Amino acid sequence: MTQKQQKVVILDFGSQYTQLIARRVREAGVYSEIHPCGISPDRLEELEPSALILSGGPASVSDPESPGLESSVLSLGCPVLGICYGMQLLARICGGRVQPSENREYGRADLEVLQDSPLFKGVAGPGDVLKVWMSHGDTVLEAPEGFAVPARTDQVDVAAMAHPGRGVHCLQFHPEVSHTEGGDRILRNFLFEVARLQPTWSMASFIDTQIREVRERVGSSKVVCGLSGGIDSTVVAVLLHEALGEQLHCIFVDNGLLRADEGEEVVQYLRRHFDLNLSYVQAQDEFLSRLEGVSDPEEKRRIVGNTFIEIFEREARSISGVRYLAQGTLYPDVIESVSSKGPSAVIKSHHNVGGLPERMDLELIEPLRELFKDEVRKVALELGLPDFLVWRHPFPGPGLAIRMIGQLDSQGLEILRQADRIVHNELMASGWYFKIWQGFAVLLPMKTVGVMGDERTYEHVVALRVVESTDAMTADWAKLPDELLSKISNRIINEVRGVNRVVLDISSKPPSTIEWE
Ligand code: XMP
């Protein structure tokens, strides 16, 4: 990134969609950064935004505790887009009337376009109706003086408002979610028609920025990077290798919770192509003994997370000058593990975030923290990583510990490994592996009756979890062909000793999650 690179600053008021805004802006080829809504006016000015977007949020502007906005944002000299709560704040600052609505609006709504607006260019004109996504409690009852009102819905008279002369544009609905018709174009219109930005940002420039920032931050210290065999940590390792060369030490830990042959392939590839100072730590017993007798999913996640960190710290002590630990944390890991004041409650403690101990000797480096998986794949392609790595299905940090439901034992883990290998091989052979997000086996903590030969059996149940998704935030179960399902089921029951039943998980996320624990 050159000093003059255009930058969109997104102020986060706690919406679960804030990252999606950033992602849409990046997809449009413009660099964006998210900052907390409480940022000081001086700091905001220092950032020299080329455009400002105010996100939505769960608060009500009439609540005295709700996050506010300094009116100085309007004298920064850059265009401002307020979305949902952002619109209500702008309405209030500019003298409009906002109040909690009698009719809260959630989900789809019909947006009636009343007049032309640069934001609606190429999307809709007067008299057209767009399906948009709404999620708000407060409503702007009256737009501030001098503002145009280019759209309404049945529930709200001011569903959009704008003062082009002051560079202020506001939308009550969410253009960033895929359910909003023309939403992407509306955001692009803000970037290119209103703010007149140039689409010059790319994953290549993301890599350059990260490399520069890591070099600046790390100086002459050393960094250890935990490798899991998956795409995220591999991308981090390769990126940091570019940035730091010899200052980077990678550690691959076999925790006894890996799939069959997990990691070997990746480690071999990395050893062949990069000089990562890679050490391979065998810690199966350490992990499994700590997990013995534990059945609570969050407890398992905490134990695995803590044990990883202990091992990384132990390894790091054997190398002089190590100050940082690098991890492949992604955005969905962050929001599902962190409970903010906003709407995102803790769903699961993803091991590289929520499973961290309170006190750590090493400082974290997480270059992918703001990216979604598909963006990481773009970074991986940009870095020249091979297809087998780029398109590998995600595998959670706690590994098979959260796919063997309840308490773990080595026999169960072995059953799971064998069943999982069959699922993997059949998905590969049928070509489905590359069409889906993830497909794996889950071992249930129960036995059921079956009949094999003429014998009664009383054995384990394996569940098949296969999902389609683009970013793991939402997912649907994949509709695999019957023949493939039969083949997988027959092979597991015939080939894996100890299993006499296979069931199929047909739940979407939400309300379920992808992993069972
Ligand atoms: P869930 O189960 O929350 O999973 O719907 C969403 C995606 O994240 C993966 N996952 C994890 N990845 N550490 C990770 O690195 C974790 O602790 C973890 N838990 C879930 C999961 O496989 C899915 O792709």
Side-chain angles (χ1 to χ4, degrees):
M1 188 176 81
T2 63
Q3 288 306 325
K4 290 263 160 62
Q5 171 135 18
Q6 297 173 326
K7 177 196 302 170
V8 172
V9 170
I10 300 164
L11 293 189
D12 179 19
F13 289 90
S15 164
Q16 54 182 321
Y17 301 129
T18 304
Q19 256 301 324
L20 266 184
I21 304 173
R23 179 195 167 113
R24 298 282 177 249
V25 173
R26 293 198 296 253
E27 279 169 357
V30 178
Y31 179 68
S32 69
E33 280 176 11
I34 297 176
H35 290 270
C37 56
I39 186 172
S40 72
D42 289 350
R43 174 75 188 118
L44 186 57
E45 203 174 332
E46 269 169 36
L47 291 172
E48 296 186 21
S50 321
L52 195 62
I53 299 182
L54 313 180
S55 84
S60 162
V61 286
S62 42
D63 176 351
E65 300 280 293
S66 64
L69 185 68
E70 301 279 341
S71 54
S72 56
V73 294
L74 296 175
S75 29
L76 283 173
C78 69
V80 183
L81 173 65
I83 297 175
C84 195
Y85 184 77
M87 157 156 159
Q88 290 142 15
L89 279 175
L90 287 168
R92 170 158 286 195
I93 289 180
C94 299
R97 206 149 65 83
V98 186
Q99 74 178 40
S101 35
E102 283 167 19
N103 302 315
R104 297 163 82 85
E105 242 183 335
Y106 292 102
R108 271 177 218 281
D110 287 331
L111 184 87
E112 188 187 332
V113 176
L114 304 170
Q115 50 180 264
D116 283 322
S117 141
L119 293 196
F120 295 146
K121 188 176 167 189
V123 182
D128 290 342
V129 173
L130 291 175
K131 296 262 177 235
V132 299
W133 189 260
M134 288 281 192
S135 173
H136 65 109
D138 285 355
T139 303
V140 176
L141 289 185
E142 236 173 70
E145 210 181 305
F147 275 67
V149 178
R152 62 178 293 280
T153 70
D154 274 351
Q155 306 285 346
V156 290
D157 288 336
V158 187
M161 57 177 215
H163 194 308
R166 295 172 75 178
V168 180
H169 292 259
C170 298
L171 302 170
Q172 182 57 73
F173 58 92
H174 291 271
E176 67 276 20
V177 307
S178 56
H179 306 285
T180 290
E181 213 178 315
D184 210 28
R185 176 73 194 263
I186 292 173
L187 269 181
R188 285 174 192 235
N189 281 342
F190 173 70
L191 301 174
F192 304 128
E193 297 292 326
V194 174
R196 306 261 165 213
L197 304 179
Q198 297 297 319
T200 51
W201 188 81
S202 64
M203 277 304 168
S205 48
F206 170 84
I207 294 171
D208 290 345
T209 310
Q210 291 302 324
I211 290 178
R212 209 197 52 234
E213 286 181 4
V214 164
R215 276 190 192 137
E216 273 168 22
R217 186 169 163 205
V218 169
S220 57
S221 304
K222 289 186 184 153
V223 178
V224 289
C225 173
L227 271 180
S228 71
I231 172 87
D232 310 339
S233 55
T234 308
V235 164
V236 170
V238 173
L239 197 69
L240 294 191
H241 176 67
E242 294 259 336
L244 304 170
E246 280 291 297
Q247 288 163 266
L248 176 71
H249 290 253
C250 290
I251 304 172
F252 183 90
V253 179
D254 187 337
N255 56 7
L257 303 164
L258 304 174
R259 286 173 294 192
D261 307 325
E262 180 83 50
E264 289 288 341
E265 241 182 341
V266 179
V267 168
Q268 273 177 24
Y269 169 83
L270 290 176
R271 283 208 159 124
R272 260 200 317 275
H273 292 85
F274 301 95
D275 182 12
L276 296 178
N277 292 323
L278 181 63
S279 51
Y280 205 141
V281 181
Q282 305 290 337
Q284 294 91 327
D285 292 344
E286 202 165 341
F287 278 86
L288 296 182
S289 62
R290 289 186 190 191
L291 286 163
E292 209 174 301
V294 180
S295 56
D296 177 66
E298 279 298 284
E299 190 55 24
K300 287 188 195 174
R301 285 173 174 274
R302 251 190 309 277
I303 292 173
V304 175
N306 285 351
T307 313
F308 264 120
I309 298 296
E310 271 182 48
I311 293 175
F312 291 145
E313 290 189 333
R314 197 190 307 150
E315 289 293 311
R317 275 193 292 269
S318 67
I319 306 164
S320 71
V322 175
R323 185 158 160 209
Y324 300 94
L325 171 67
Q327 295 201 122
T329 313
L330 305 193
Y331 183 67
D333 305 334
V334 179
I335 54 165
E336 295 198 358
S337 298
V338 179
S339 179
S340 66
K341 263 185 156 178
S344 38
V346 175
I347 312 295
K348 295 177 183 181
S349 303
H350 282 217
H351 99 270
N352 31 16
V353 185
L356 293 182
E358 299 265 302
R359 230 199 98 263
M360 259 180 56
D361 293 342
L362 300 170
E363 290 172 44
L364 284 179
I365 294 185
E366 298 177 315
L368 312 180
R369 202 178 159 86
E370 296 211 334
L371 302 188
F372 287 88
K373 187 72 130 202
D374 55 326
E375 293 181 308
V376 176
R377 288 194 163 123
K378 287 185 193 146
V379 176
L381 288 168
E382 194 67 44
L383 288 169
L385 292 173
D387 277 1
F388 87 86
L389 242 166
V390 175
W391 300 110
R392 226 174 155 80
H393 287 177
F395 186 63
L400 299 184
I402 54 164
R403 291 186 180 170
M404 178 168 173
I405 308 307
Q407 294 189 20
L408 307 186
D409 61 63
S410 48
Q411 189 203 359
L413 288 172
E414 194 42 42
I415 289 178
L416 187 50
R417 250 179 224 118
Q418 289 180 29
D420 195 71
R421 191 207 298 261
I422 292 173
V423 177
H424 180 271
N425 290 352
E426 288 302 330
L427 289 173
M428 275 288 185
S430 60
W432 272 88
Y433 187 90
F434 298 104
K435 295 188 211 159
I436 55 174
W437 175 263
Q438 243 171 329
F440 55 88
V442 178
L443 186 66
L444 308 193
M446 63 192 303
K447 288 185 171 184
T448 67
V449 174
V451 53
M452 271 191 199
D454 288 328
E455 298 282 337
R456 173 187 191 270
T457 58
Y458 186 56
E459 292 178 333
H460 287 287
V461 184
V462 162
L464 198 55
R465 182 65 165 149
V466 189
V467 296
E468 288 173 347
S469 175
T470 50
D471 52 22
M473 302 285 284
T474 57
D476 199 7
W477 60 285
K479 317 295 182 293
L480 296 186
D482 291 354
E483 311 79 65
L484 179 58
L485 289 171
S486 295
K487 192 160 182 204
I488 293 174
S489 164
N490 287 340
R491 280 199 58 196
I492 292 176
I493 293 170
N494 290 332
E495 295 174 34
V496 183
R497 273 190 103 109
V499 178
N500 67 358
R501 190 178 298 273
V502 172
V503 296
L504 178 65
D505 180 349
I506 53 169
S507 350
S508 61
K509 171 184 180 176
S512 302
T513 52
I514 297 176
E515 305 286 347
W516 278 38
E517 287 192 338

